[in-house]
Amino acid sequence: MEEEAGGAPELDRSQAPRDFHFYPMDLYDTEDRLPIFPEESRRRRRDVPAETTSEPRGAAKGKPQRHFEGEVDELVRLYGLEDDHELGDEFVDENTPRIEVSESPPYVMARREPAREQRDWRLTGEAAEAEALGFGGWGSEGQCQDLREAYRYTHGRASEEYECYVIPEEEDEEEAADVFCVTCRTPVRALDKAFDEHKEHEVTPLSKALENAKDEIHKNMYRLEKQIIEMENFASHLEEVFITVEENFGRQEQNFESHYNEILETLAQKYEEKIQALGNKKKEKLEALYGQLVSCGENLDTCKELMETIEEMCHEEKVDFIKDAVAMADRLRNFLETKTDVEISAQPALEDQSLDFSDVEQLLGSINTIPAPSAPVINPQAPNSATGSSVRVCWSLYSDDTVESYQLSYRPVRDSSPGKDPAEFTMTVKETYCLVINLVPNTQYEFWVTAQNRAGVSPASECAVYMTAPSPPVIKSKEIRSCEDAALICWESGNLNPVDSYTVELIQAETPEASGVTESVVGIPSCEALVQLQPRRTYTIYVRALNVGGPSARGEPATIHTTGSYFRLNQHTCHPWLTISEDGLRAVRGERKTPAKEPPPRNTRFSRCVAVMGNLIPVRGRHYWEVEVDEHLDYTVGVAFADVPKQEDLGTNGLSWCMRHTWASPRHKYEFLHNKMTPDIRITVSPRKIGILLDYENSKLSFFNVDISQHLYTFSCHLHQFVHPCFSLEKPGCLKIHNGISMPKHVTFY
């Protein structure tokens, strides 16, 4: 029976007898509660006609009605509701709390009607009797009936018209399993009595077991996915082999058919030739025999005629006989003198008509069960399969063809520029791979291959493009800039064609902290890299170039010391009157007159101020360097932005902060200029070596007299971008820069 929030007093379970068990329930609406007494039942109960409820429930089975007053009082006492005068008002509502009986598992009483599957809660005679006794205030008829039925069941008085329904117990979070037995592979409770049998087993927290199980499932899923991919690849390979074998046998059938057709055509041709020759021979012999036969017949006729004539002469008179005899004698003599051919010109025996099947035998010998191989397939270029002068080419033959050798051909890939086609090269190999040498670095070559055996040569494979590894880059040692935390490295590609990327390899010198440790910075797209380093270390730098063929060999190394900031003077900003030394750390202005014609101004080169800038590494932090000067020299030192106007003096604009010294014997004048403004500062000891501290973190620029560790002045400057050291000589002289040095102790306080 569903309940609404509020109105139902909480039952005191402590007052219940020992044999009366309660099922835990929520008196205030809960979603997990089972609707034992649904609202539909009440609606059906209200719709039942009055006459159907007039007959007592027990009358159907011949049982007398009972008086329930005492039983209800007992229930009231058990529930502790004697003093609750509001019970009747609260239970009048349809949403009255339900009473259930729990015997582990809990049970609830429900009425069972033989003739109906659904429960029909009706006002029976017993309910009417209870109503008459004054217990109607307990609520509706069905609610009173529910109380009575629950009570009767607990006292063994349940009739057979009621049946028990097992209600699943709600899970108690405290009773949930909290450990997992690895040996038995089952979850258990650590506080359960059954846990004793698992004491000798390997157990683990349930959460960890769950994570392990998930990890195992994920691993198995990964293995399964990998196996699926392998099986799919294998199935694809099998399909290719299947198709290739089918094509090979198809070609064999065509080969056999063509050879046999050729043999049959040759035999038919020989047959026709022999038949025609036999016919001609037959005709010739028969004609000769026929001629002899005709001649023989003519001779016989002549002989017969002569005989008849001679017989007739014998019967003639002597005178006539003599006359005819002389003529006959001449005739007989002439006839007998005529040679008669009595030899057969054509013998009846057949001549030996042996057939020449040498060409047929040659055709039969040419029929071979091994066909010409199918076209090989060149594999794509494998990573790291090339050097700067060689490349390893591999191919496959997806068939069971017999191959005696392969012909590998290659040539450089032709660019779009017009000209002669590149030369082709061919080499014969026995294996399905070949190391091709003497190639040009960072160059693409196209390869194709054919297979051959005694039956013939296969079609050529499709062309595959391979690429040799690049040439080693060349580090620009003079352009390396560094500080204690980083270094900016520049190099030349060393290759005519572009490469994919570069790799910088860092090897620390052997120290207690690092013994030859190698670090790599990969995927660098351009010919410079800003790499992070550790302070006060010595590094050996190598650079490699990479393309699809693989990495190049190491170029010439460069050495970097991360002690202080190291930079060189920038020749591209140098005024024409200044000369920069080979090491880039000295600026000299010689004795020369002003030229009649000034050189054309350039954006990168100073044209008015005889100055030069240094290439400081673009890294924020603290940078320190020193400048060695002559006390009788007019000079300016400081920092400036890269886009400072080159046609103006240093310190006369808002893009530079400088210290200027002017000497007019015997007076030294020192100015700290920014935007043409300087503070009123007197310096009593002229510095021979000036220390400059650039502090990006605190936006300060400080100057020091290094010899006496004296602080001279500090600018508070807004550095919205990187600045560079700048140096100017107003008169002939020399400036020498000292950098790559540790910061003195007196400087660290500023």
Side-chain angles (χ1 to χ4, degrees), residues 247-265:
E247 292 176 351
N248 289 341
F249 276 95
R251 286 198 301 270
Q252 282 189 346
E253 293 175 359
Q254 294 177 359
N255 187 27
F256 288 156
E257 184 177 358
S258 62
H259 278 79
Y260 283 127
N261 289 336
E262 186 177 357
I263 291 174
L264 291 177
E265 290 177 0

Side-chain angles (χ1 to χ4, degrees), residues 573 603-604 613 640-646 655 721-724:
T573 64
N603 292 332
T604 59
M613 299 183 72
F641 290 113
D643 56 350
V644 64
K646 304 302 189 297
L655 302 179
Q721 60 185 9
F722 293 106
V723 295
H724 297 279

Side-chain angles (χ1 to χ4, degrees), residues 584-606:
L585 300 176
R586 184 187 296 268
V588 179
R589 178 177 178 176
E591 296 286 349
R592 65 172 65 187
K593 297 181 180 180
T594 305
K597 185 177 180 181
E598 293 287 338
R602 296 173 58 183
N603 292 332
T604 59
R605 187 184 295 274
F606 285 98

Side-chain angles (χ1 to χ4, degrees), residues 212-457:
N212 293 338
K214 289 182 179 179
D215 293 341
E216 186 68 22
I217 291 175
H218 290 163
K219 291 179 181 178
N220 292 335
M221 289 178 64
Y222 173 76
R223 293 174 57 188
L224 183 60
E225 292 176 356
K226 186 177 180 181
Q227 186 173 359
I228 290 174
I229 294 174
E230 292 178 355
M231 294 301 296
E232 289 178 349
N233 295 336
F234 180 69
S236 177
H237 177 66
L238 283 180
E239 184 178 0
E240 293 177 355
V241 173
F242 179 85
I243 295 174
T244 304
V245 170
E246 186 178 15
E247 292 176 351
N248 289 341
F249 276 95
R251 286 198 301 270
Q252 282 189 346
E253 293 175 359
Q254 294 177 359
N255 187 27
F256 288 156
E257 184 177 358
S258 62
H259 278 79
Y260 283 127
N261 289 336
E262 186 177 357
I263 291 174
L264 291 177
E265 290 177 0
T266 303
L267 289 175
Q269 183 179 359
K270 286 185 173 296
Y271 173 78
E272 294 293 338
E273 292 176 356
K274 290 299 180 182
I275 290 297
Q276 186 176 0
L278 288 174
N280 294 335
K281 196 70 174 177
K282 174 184 175 182
K283 181 179 179 182
E284 181 182 353
K285 284 190 174 185
L286 290 177
E287 288 178 352
L289 290 173
Y290 181 76
Q292 282 186 328
L293 183 61
V294 171
S295 177
C296 182
E298 292 177 352
N299 290 334
L300 286 174
D301 291 340
T302 303
C303 289
K304 289 180 179 180
E305 181 184 358
L306 291 175
M307 289 295 294
E308 291 176 356
T309 303
I310 291 173
E311 289 179 356
E312 291 177 357
M313 288 175 57
C314 289
H315 296 288
E316 290 180 354
E317 295 292 334
K318 294 181 179 180
V319 177
D320 295 332
F321 177 77
I322 292 173
K323 291 180 181 180
D324 293 333
V326 173
M328 180 59 66
D330 294 336
R331 185 179 176 183
L332 287 173
R333 184 174 59 255
N334 293 333
F335 178 75
L336 293 175
E337 288 179 356
T338 303
K339 186 178 180 180
T340 302
D341 188 6
V342 294
E343 295 181 359
I344 299 176
S345 60
Q347 298 296 329
L350 294 176
E351 298 177 358
D352 184 12
Q353 299 292 333
S354 61
L355 299 177
D356 184 11
F357 287 104
S358 59
D359 51 354
V360 177
E361 292 176 356
Q362 183 178 0
L363 289 174
L364 288 174
S366 64
I367 299 177
N368 199 328
T369 57
I370 301 177
S374 58
V377 178
I378 290 189
N379 301 336
Q381 185 173 9
N384 302 326
S385 61
T387 65
S389 60
S390 65
V391 65
R392 179 183 173 90
V393 184
C394 300
W395 58 89
S396 304
L397 195 67
Y398 290 111
S399 65
D400 52 358
D401 293 343
T402 300
V403 178
E404 296 178 358
S405 62
Y406 297 94
Q407 293 287 335
L408 178 64
S409 303
Y410 65 95
R411 64 187 174 191
V413 175
R414 180 179 178 181
D415 53 13
S416 58
S417 60
K420 296 190 303 181
D421 292 336
E424 296 183 3
F425 304 91
T426 302
M427 51 198 316
T428 302
V429 294
K430 296 290 186 181
E431 296 81 8
T432 57
Y433 62 89
C434 180
L435 182 64
V436 184
I437 59 175
N438 298 326
L439 303 178
V440 180
N442 199 37
T443 303
Q444 289 182 331
Y445 290 85
E446 55 182 0
F447 292 85
W448 64 96
V449 64
T450 57
Q452 59 185 7
N453 56 19
R454 57 184 177 179
V457 181

Side-chain angles (χ1 to χ4, degrees), residues 53 130 297 336 367 458 467 472 570 604 633 713 717:
T53 62
L336 293 175
I367 299 177
S458 73
M467 192 170 190
N570 188 354
T604 59
L633 181 68
Y713 183 74
C717 41

Side-chain angles (χ1 to χ4, degrees), residues 473-531:
V474 179
I475 299 178
K476 300 178 181 179
S477 301
K478 294 184 178 181
E479 297 185 13
I480 292 179
R481 294 172 274 171
S482 64
C483 62
E484 291 192 349
D485 300 322
L488 182 62
I489 308 165
C490 303
W491 59 85
E492 293 179 353
S493 173
N495 297 273
L496 296 177
N497 298 323
V499 300
D500 294 342
S501 64
Y502 298 92
T503 297
V504 175
E505 297 179 354
L506 312 171
I507 302 179
Q508 292 190 35
E510 295 188 3
T511 60
E513 295 81 4
S515 300
V517 176
T518 302
E519 300 177 0
S520 298
V521 181
V522 300
I524 303 172
S526 59
C527 290
E528 67 175 19
L530 182 64
V531 295

